[in-house]
Amino acid sequence: MRLGTAIAHQVFYDYNETTWPVSDLTPRFPLYALKLRGLSYTDPDTCAALDVDNLYMLDVRNGVKVGEYDIELLVTLPGTGVEDWLGEHGDGGGHLMRPDRGAHQLSFGYHDGTTYHWIDSLPYGWTRSTVCMGEISPEFTYLTVLFDPAGGPYMTNHRNPWTRPLWLEIVLTRTGMEEKVDPMDCASTASCRSCFASVYSATTREDWFPSEKTE
């Protein structure tokens, strides 16, 4: 399944004694983090409009979109550069922002026509998932997620069983760049399905993506 509409931020951190005052993480703790919310279908509204008051998920939760999904994903990956973050990463037990290993939390919901169900990966749920980062850049990021309850059923409670794999393909394009359409015009086009921005904490873009220009 490919996400149809997504709202996301990726952050390039450089924790140190000033930005992250925890002695065992100093003097430096470089980290990549991604926060994403999305829908399995393409919503007719702009991705930016869907972010207001969390309206992005109401059609799924209210049963208007039966069989569709709303998705939430948090990913953190330590490393000193993009080459450390690409590839396959386990959930790390769901405990985020570790200097020694990657981790992520995946949650998704769906309405079966009668009831809305909400499924969590670790640490809140009982099953595991895998994130594969295919490309990371300030303008474009591509990843896949496999939520695989091998041997299930797995559940967050007895009302929410889940017994089959769920595979997600997520394509993120910086807001306003997709097909060169202004974000304000997205409602009348098939473009701008991802509202996506990059943020730098105690660092700059040049630290992670040095200019290719030579002196």
Side-chain angles (χ1 to χ4, degrees):
M1 172 178 67
R2 178 171 176 172
L3 255 62
T5 304
I7 304 163
H9 288 84
Q10 64 181 7
V11 184
F12 300 91
Y13 289 97
D14 189 354
Y15 289 141
N16 53 46
E17 292 179 355
T18 301
T19 58
W20 189 254
V22 179
S23 59
D24 62 346
L25 299 183
T26 58
R28 188 166 185 265
F29 174 25
L31 179 78
Y32 168 82
L34 173 69
K35 179 180 181 180
L36 178 143
R37 293 177 294 170
L39 299 168
S40 61
Y41 61 96
T42 300
D43 193 279
D45 289 325
T46 71
C47 48
L50 294 173
D51 199 27
V52 179
D53 296 324
N54 292 334
L55 297 180
Y56 72 98
M57 46 61 170
L58 289 184
D59 281 349
V60 175
R61 298 192 178 188
N62 292 334
V64 177
K65 292 286 188 179
V66 175
E68 299 286 357
Y69 298 87
D70 63 290
I71 309 292
E72 292 188 4
L73 177 67
L74 298 171
V75 180
T76 60
L77 303 171
T80 58
V82 173
E83 63 276 3
D84 295 326
W85 305 324
L86 299 179
E88 186 176 294
H89 303 278
D91 53 58
H95 301 290
L96 301 174
M97 301 179 75
R98 300 273 309 223
D100 57 337
R101 65 174 182 261
H104 64 269
Q105 296 173 1
L106 170 69
S107 302
F108 59 93
Y110 68 98
H111 202 289
D112 62 10
T114 302
T115 304
Y116 177 79
H117 302 273
W118 184 246
I119 308 297
D120 285 307
S121 67
L122 292 169
Y124 307 108
W126 294 355
T127 193
R128 294 187 175 277
S129 51
T130 303
V131 164
C132 186
M133 304 299 303
E135 184 172 344
I136 299 174
S137 76
E139 291 77 28
F140 180 86
T141 292
Y142 175 86
L143 65 151
T144 61
V145 185
L146 176 62
F147 184 87
D148 187 10
Y154 292 85
M155 58 194 73
T156 53
N157 56 57
H158 289 292
R159 296 187 302 275
N160 294 332
W162 185 264
T163 59
R164 63 187 187 275
L166 178 69
W167 184 81
L168 304 173
E169 181 182 41
I170 302 170
V171 178
L172 301 174
T173 304
R174 192 175 74 183
T175 303
M177 289 191 65
E178 187 170 344
E179 297 185 13
K180 298 181 180 180
V181 177
D182 186 274
M184 300 303 294
D185 296 331
C186 292
S188 60
T189 75
S191 299
C192 296
R193 293 300 89 213
S194 63
C195 288
F196 173 57
S198 295
V199 179
Y200 305 92
S201 177
T203 184
T204 67
R205 172 178 174 143
E206 283 293 309
D207 292 328
W208 303 103
F209 303 93
S211 173
E212 296 181 356
K213 295 181 181 179
T214 57
E215 296 294 338

Coordinates of all heavy atoms in Angstrom, one line a residue, residues 90-122:
G90 N 15.4 -2.1 12.5 CA 14.4 -2.7 13.4 C 13.8 -1.6 14.2 O 14.1 -0.4 14.2
D91 N 12.8 -2.1 15.1 CA 12.1 -1.1 15.9 C 12.8 -0.6 17.1 O 12.4 0.3 17.7 CB 10.7 -1.7 16.3 CG 10.8 -3.0 17.0 OD1 11.5 -3.1 18.0 OD2 10.3 -4.0 16.5
G92 N 13.9 -1.3 17.5 CA 14.6 -0.9 18.7 C 13.8 -1.0 19.9 O 14.0 -0.3 20.9
G93 N 12.8 -1.9 19.9 CA 11.9 -2.0 21.1 C 10.9 -0.8 21.2 O 10.2 -0.7 22.2
G94 N 10.9 0.1 20.2 CA 10.0 1.2 20.2 C 10.5 2.4 21.1 O 9.8 3.4 21.2
H95 N 11.7 2.2 21.7 CA 12.2 3.3 22.5 C 13.1 4.2 21.7 O 14.2 3.9 21.3 CB 13.0 2.7 23.7 CG 12.2 1.7 24.5 ND1 11.2 2.2 25.3 CD2 12.2 0.4 24.6 CE1 10.6 1.1 25.9 NE2 11.2 0.0 25.5
L96 N 12.6 5.4 21.5 CA 13.1 6.4 20.5 C 14.3 7.1 21.1 O 14.6 7.2 22.3 CB 12.1 7.4 20.1 CG 10.8 6.8 19.4 CD1 9.8 7.8 19.2 CD2 11.2 6.0 18.1
M97 N 15.1 7.7 20.1 CA 16.2 8.7 20.4 C 17.3 8.0 21.3 O 17.7 8.5 22.3 CB 15.6 9.9 21.1 CG 14.6 10.6 20.2 SD 13.9 12.1 21.0 CE 15.3 13.3 20.7
R98 N 17.8 6.9 20.8 CA 18.9 6.2 21.4 C 20.2 6.5 20.6 O 20.1 6.5 19.4 CB 18.6 4.7 21.4 CG 17.4 4.2 22.1 CD 17.7 4.0 23.5 NE 18.8 3.2 23.7 CZ 18.9 2.2 24.6 NH1 17.9 1.9 25.4 NH2 20.0 1.5 24.8
P99 N 21.3 6.6 21.3 CA 22.5 6.9 20.6 C 23.2 5.6 20.0 O 24.1 5.7 19.2 CB 23.5 7.5 21.7 CG 22.9 6.9 22.9 CD 21.4 6.8 22.7
D100 N 22.6 4.4 20.4 CA 23.3 3.2 20.1 C 22.5 2.4 19.0 O 23.0 1.4 18.5 CB 23.4 2.3 21.3 CG 22.1 2.0 22.0 OD1 21.2 2.8 21.9 OD2 22.0 1.0 22.8
R101 N 21.3 2.7 18.7 CA 20.5 2.0 17.7 C 19.3 2.8 17.2 O 18.8 3.7 17.8 CB 20.0 0.6 18.3 CG 19.0 0.8 19.4 CD 18.5 -0.6 19.9 NE 17.4 -0.5 20.9 CZ 17.7 -0.7 22.2 NH1 18.9 -0.9 22.6 NH2 16.7 -0.6 23.1
G102 N 18.9 2.4 16.0 CA 17.7 3.0 15.4 C 16.5 2.4 16.1 O 16.5 1.3 16.7
A103 N 15.4 3.2 16.0 CA 14.1 2.7 16.6 C 13.0 3.5 15.9 O 13.2 4.5 15.3 CB 14.1 3.1 18.1
H104 N 11.8 2.9 16.0 CA 10.6 3.5 15.5 C 9.4 3.0 16.2 O 9.4 2.0 16.8 CB 10.5 3.4 14.0 CG 10.3 2.0 13.5 ND1 11.4 1.1 13.2 CD2 9.2 1.2 13.3 CE1 10.9 -0.1 12.8 NE2 9.6 0.0 12.9
Q105 N 8.3 3.8 16.1 CA 7.0 3.5 16.5 C 6.0 3.6 15.4 O 6.0 4.7 14.7 CB 6.6 4.3 17.7 CG 7.4 4.2 18.9 CD 7.1 5.2 20.0 OE1 6.1 6.0 19.9 NE2 7.8 5.2 21.1
L106 N 5.2 2.6 15.1 CA 4.2 2.7 14.1 C 2.9 2.4 14.7 O 2.7 1.5 15.5 CB 4.5 1.6 13.0 CG 3.4 1.4 12.0 CD1 3.3 2.6 11.0 CD2 3.7 0.1 11.2
S107 N 1.9 3.3 14.3 CA 0.5 3.1 14.7 C -0.3 3.3 13.5 O -0.1 4.1 12.6 CB 0.1 4.1 15.8 OG 0.9 3.9 16.9
F108 N -1.4 2.5 13.4 CA -2.3 2.7 12.3 C -3.7 2.3 12.7 O -4.0 1.5 13.6 CB -1.9 1.9 11.0 CG -1.8 0.4 11.3 CD1 -2.9 -0.4 11.0 CD2 -0.7 -0.2 11.7 CE1 -2.8 -1.8 11.2 CE2 -0.6 -1.6 11.9 CZ -1.6 -2.4 11.7
G109 N -4.7 3.0 12.1 CA -6.1 2.7 12.4 C -6.9 2.4 11.1 O -6.6 2.9 10.1
Y110 N -8.0 1.7 11.3 CA -8.9 1.4 10.2 C -10.3 1.2 10.7 O -10.5 0.8 11.9 CB -8.4 0.2 9.4 CG -8.6 -1.1 10.1 CD1 -9.6 -2.0 9.9 CD2 -7.6 -1.5 11.1 CE1 -9.8 -3.2 10.6 CE2 -7.7 -2.7 11.8 CZ -8.8 -3.5 11.6 OH -8.9 -4.7 12.3
H111 N -11.3 1.4 9.9 CA -12.7 1.1 10.3 C -13.2 0.0 9.4 O -13.1 -0.1 8.2 CB -13.5 2.4 10.0 CG -14.8 2.4 10.8 ND1 -15.9 1.6 10.5 CD2 -15.2 3.2 11.8 CE1 -16.9 1.9 11.3 NE2 -16.5 2.8 12.2
D112 N -13.8 -1.1 10.1 CA -14.2 -2.3 9.4 C -15.7 -2.2 9.0 O -16.2 -3.2 8.6 CB -14.0 -3.5 10.3 CG -14.7 -3.5 11.6 OD1 -15.6 -2.6 11.8 OD2 -14.4 -4.4 12.4
G113 N -16.3 -1.0 9.1 CA -17.7 -0.9 8.8 C -18.6 -0.9 10.1 O -19.7 -0.4 10.0
T114 N -18.0 -1.4 11.1 CA -18.8 -1.4 12.4 C -18.0 -0.6 13.5 O -18.6 0.1 14.3 CB -19.0 -2.8 12.9 OG1 -19.7 -3.5 11.9 CG2 -19.8 -2.8 14.2
T115 N -16.7 -0.9 13.6 CA -15.8 -0.4 14.6 C -14.5 0.1 14.1 O -14.0 -0.4 13.1 CB -15.5 -1.5 15.7 OG1 -16.8 -2.0 16.1 CG2 -14.8 -1.0 16.9
Y116 N -14.0 1.2 14.7 CA -12.7 1.7 14.4 C -11.7 1.0 15.3 O -11.9 0.8 16.5 CB -12.6 3.2 14.7 CG -11.3 3.8 14.5 CD1 -10.8 4.1 13.2 CD2 -10.4 4.1 15.5 CE1 -9.5 4.6 13.0 CE2 -9.1 4.6 15.3 CZ -8.7 4.9 14.0 OH -7.5 5.4 13.8
H117 N -10.6 0.5 14.7 CA -9.5 -0.2 15.4 C -8.2 0.6 15.3 O -7.9 1.2 14.2 CB -9.3 -1.6 14.7 CG -10.5 -2.4 14.7 ND1 -10.9 -3.3 15.8 CD2 -11.5 -2.6 13.8 CE1 -12.0 -3.9 15.5 NE2 -12.4 -3.5 14.3
W118 N -7.4 0.5 16.3 CA -6.2 1.2 16.4 C -5.1 0.3 16.8 O -5.2 -0.3 17.9 CB -6.2 2.4 17.4 CG -5.0 3.3 17.4 CD1 -4.2 3.4 18.5 CD2 -4.5 4.1 16.4 NE1 -3.2 4.3 18.2 CE2 -3.3 4.7 16.9 CE3 -4.9 4.4 15.1 CZ2 -2.6 5.6 16.2 CZ3 -4.1 5.3 14.3 CH2 -3.0 5.9 14.9
I119 N -4.1 0.1 16.0 CA -3.0 -0.9 16.3 C -1.7 -0.2 16.5 O -1.3 0.7 15.8 CB -2.9 -1.9 15.0 CG1 -4.2 -2.5 14.6 CG2 -1.9 -3.0 15.3 CD1 -4.9 -3.3 15.7
D120 N -1.0 -0.7 17.5 CA 0.3 -0.1 17.9 C 1.4 -1.1 17.7 O 1.2 -2.3 18.1 CB 0.4 0.4 19.3 CG -0.4 1.7 19.5 OD1 -0.1 2.7 18.7 OD2 -1.3 1.8 20.3
S121 N 2.6 -0.7 17.3 CA 3.8 -1.5 17.4 C 4.4 -1.3 18.8 O 3.8 -0.6 19.6 CB 4.8 -1.1 16.3 OG 5.3 0.2 16.6
L122 N 5.5 -1.9 19.0 CA 6.2 -1.7 20.3 C 6.5 -0.2 20.5 O 6.8 0.5 19.5 CB 7.5 -2.5 20.3 CG 7.4 -4.1 20.4 CD1 8.7 -4.7 20.1 CD2 6.8 -4.5 21.7

